[in-house]
Amino acid sequence: MNTDNASPVQPITVLGSTGSIGVSTLDVVARHPDRYSIYALTANTRVDLILPQIKAHQPRYAVMRDEQSAEALSLQLKAAGISGTEVLSGEQGLLTVASAEVVTSVMAAIVGSAGLAPTMAAVEAGKKVLLANKESLVMAGHLLMQAVQRSGATLLPIDSEHNAIFQCMPARYQSGESLGLAAEGVRKILLTGSGGPFRQTPLDQLAAMTPDQACAHPNWDMGRKISVDSATMMNKGLELIEACWLFDTGPEDIDIVVHPQSVIHSMVEYDDGSVLAQLGNPDMRTPIAHALAFPERIASGVPSLDIIATAQLDFEAPDYQRFPCLRLATEAVTTGATAMAILNAANEMAVQAFLDQRVRFTDIPVIIEHVLATMSLVEPSTLAVVQEQDLEARQIAAEFIKGSHKVTG
């Protein structure tokens, strides 16, 4: 093989390496050692999960959420005789590895609002950002997209639905040269969702559903927070908001379609009546590999889709009575201002309270609606403003969950 013109190995930072997206990213990277190397890995507090990743990928840096976890990791690395990985901690450590000059691509896979600041740092540094942290766009979409334009960063969606939409878009849309949906002959975006584990559960039984039941997704292997979001269909609401920012459109141009098999990941309808769909097995390594190599294609490790065995594809309209979180998200993106950031913060608090068994499954939308009704909206002019609204929303949610307005009373 002639390697005279071979591309240099690309250093990658993986934000949130121990989560499901991070693990899948490392799997794809390991299949292409001639193309990619790991510059930095970051985790929350699970030293036991990041340690084998460090041993396998030998990053220059590892970042833990707090100093205690960082110290514990440092001791483990020393005991294992690993001296080439420097351990950092806290948000500053995340910002450092997200914006490091040597890094070409950043996988933004930290779940929740904690991923906003390092994702923004990667964008402002002009990186190729593989966006799996939908909350960054939900909370601060205007600011993030402005930063993309200002820095020349490349923003590629990793959510299977948005990646599918991106793949079905015209070439000029993919290259960032489009003048909008109408100018490209796009009539509608069809955003698919499985409906989660409670799609057919009798409504009068939903209040009794447990965290383990909510996290038992029929198709996808995801973290617990994202799994609960799928069960409430808040994930589809957040993805609706994300799609509006990514594809520069409004909710009126996006239809949500419940598709239980999760084989068609999303579709784009054109003015001539054509509907382009991206299909594949429900495996996040497909969109990860697509974004990593874009505009090229590389092996992801995902087996071929057996279209004959699939046999049947079903579609239905979403039930807003069953999934009130979907209604709340649609109202938030229509309202604008900081409604989306407040929605996200209240949802994170409500979901955690449900996972901690402090509220019922059906209390989640009640908490979110209370916070949205209580707060005054402001324009998200700076990241600090967004973060202030996020903090206030969390405080109101916490008080509502445990205070005089006892949710489960």
Side-chain angles (χ1 to χ4, degrees), residues 19 41 51 209 259 306 326 345 357 365 379 397:
L41 299 173
L51 183 61
M209 293 298 100
H259 168 51
D306 188 337
L326 190 54
Q357 299 184 317
E379 285 303 312

Side-chain angles (χ1 to χ4, degrees), residues 245-256:
W245 290 117
L246 284 170
F247 304 110
D248 192 23
T249 191
E252 67 278 1
D253 293 324
I254 304 173
D255 286 348
I256 294 174

Side-chain angles (χ1 to χ4, degrees), residues 44-92:
N44 192 7
T45 58
R46 293 291 301 274
V47 171
D48 59 319
L49 295 182
I50 197 172
L51 183 61
Q53 294 181 338
I54 294 171
K55 291 178 179 178
H57 296 277
Q58 302 177 29
R60 176 69 184 84
Y61 292 99
V63 184
M64 303 300 290
R65 186 184 72 177
D66 52 45
E67 291 185 6
Q68 182 178 358
S69 300
E71 179 62 26
L73 177 60
S74 294
L75 291 174
Q76 291 277 359
L77 291 176
K78 184 176 181 180
I82 299 173
S83 59
T85 298
E86 182 177 345
V87 180
L88 306 176
S89 66
E91 185 174 278
Q92 186 54 55

Side-chain angles (χ1 to χ4, degrees), residues 268-279:
V268 173
E269 179 184 355
Y270 285 82
D271 287 339
D272 62 6
S274 299
V275 178
L276 302 187
Q278 188 266 335
L279 287 73

Side-chain angles (χ1 to χ4, degrees), residues 39-383:
Y39 176 77
L41 299 173
T42 85
N44 192 7
T45 58
R46 293 291 301 274
V47 171
D48 59 319
L49 295 182
I50 197 172
L51 183 61
Q53 294 181 338
I54 294 171
K55 291 178 179 178
H57 296 277
Q58 302 177 29
R60 176 69 184 84
Y61 292 99
V63 184
M64 303 300 290
R65 186 184 72 177
D66 52 45
E67 291 185 6
Q68 182 178 358
S69 300
E71 179 62 26
L73 177 60
S74 294
L75 291 174
Q76 291 277 359
L77 291 176
K78 184 176 181 180
I82 299 173
S83 59
T85 298
E86 182 177 345
V87 180
L88 306 176
S89 66
E91 185 174 278
Q92 186 54 55
L94 294 175
L95 300 181
T96 297
V97 299
S99 60
E101 185 175 355
V102 69
V103 169
T104 59
S105 300
V106 175
M107 169 56 77
I110 295 176
V111 176
S113 59
L116 174 57
T119 300
M120 184 68 81
V123 167
E124 290 177 338
K127 305 300 181 186
K128 177 180 178 180
V129 179
L130 283 58
L131 187 67
N133 169 259
K134 62 173 61 73
E135 291 84 1
S136 295
L137 279 174
V138 171
M139 293 176 64
H142 178 62
L143 296 174
L144 194 69
M145 298 312 290
Q146 276 188 335
V148 169
Q149 292 296 321
R150 190 168 57 244
S151 68
T154 299
L155 191 66
L156 296 172
I158 296 300
D159 272 352
S160 60
E161 296 82 0
H162 301 96
N163 184 267
I165 294 166
F166 182 82
Q167 292 194 51
C168 294
M169 282 291 187
R172 285 194 300 182
Y173 227 107
Q174 295 181 359
S175 64
E177 299 172 357
S178 172
L179 297 177
L181 295 185
E184 298 299 332
V186 174
R187 182 185 295 168
K188 185 78 69 173
I189 291 172
L190 302 171
L191 182 68
T192 64
S194 71
F198 302 149
R199 181 176 62 89
Q200 296 180 314
T201 301
L203 293 178
D204 61 1
Q205 294 181 19
L206 287 177
M209 293 298 100
T210 67
D212 285 344
Q213 288 173 308
C215 291
H217 195 283
N219 302 330
W220 296 94
D221 180 16
M222 306 180 292
R224 289 176 72 79
K225 190 270 182 185
I226 299 174
S227 295
V228 175
D229 281 348
S230 178
T232 64
M233 278 200 80
M234 176 58 89
N235 72 321
K236 212 51 51 181
L238 298 177
E239 287 169 11
L240 171 69
I241 297 169
E242 188 180 5
C244 288
W245 290 117
L246 284 170
F247 304 110
D248 192 23
T249 191
E252 67 278 1
D253 293 324
I254 304 173
D255 286 348
I256 294 174
V257 179
V258 176
H259 168 51
Q261 290 86 5
S262 298
V263 170
I264 293 179
H265 299 300
S266 275
M267 298 169 273
V268 173
E269 179 184 355
Y270 285 82
D271 287 339
D272 62 6
S274 299
V275 178
L276 302 187
Q278 188 266 335
L279 287 73
N281 287 312
D283 190 317
M284 288 306 298
R285 290 177 296 175
T286 294
I288 289 167
H290 171 265
L292 266 177
F294 182 80
E296 300 176 55
R297 297 275 183 170
I298 59 172
S300 65
V302 177
S304 297
L305 174 66
D306 188 337
I307 198 70
I308 303 301
T310 299
Q312 181 174 328
L313 300 177
D314 297 310
F315 306 94
E316 59 191 62
D319 182 346
Y320 286 85
Q321 180 184 3
R322 177 179 298 276
F323 301 115
C325 285
L326 190 54
R327 170 183 59 82
L328 293 171
T330 303
E331 292 173 355
V333 68
T334 303
T335 301
T338 49
M340 293 168 282
I342 293 168
L343 172 95
N344 179 73
N347 179 63
E348 287 189 17
M349 294 294 290
V351 169
Q352 189 58 56
F354 169 67
L355 289 172
D356 293 341
Q357 299 184 317
R358 291 182 288 129
V359 302
R360 299 168 301 193
F361 179 76
T362 50
D363 293 327
I364 293 173
V366 175
I367 297 165
I368 298 168
E369 193 152 26
H370 169 77
V371 177
L372 283 165
T374 302
M375 288 187 63
S376 298
L377 305 182
V378 299
E379 285 303 312
S381 54
T382 66
L383 202 57

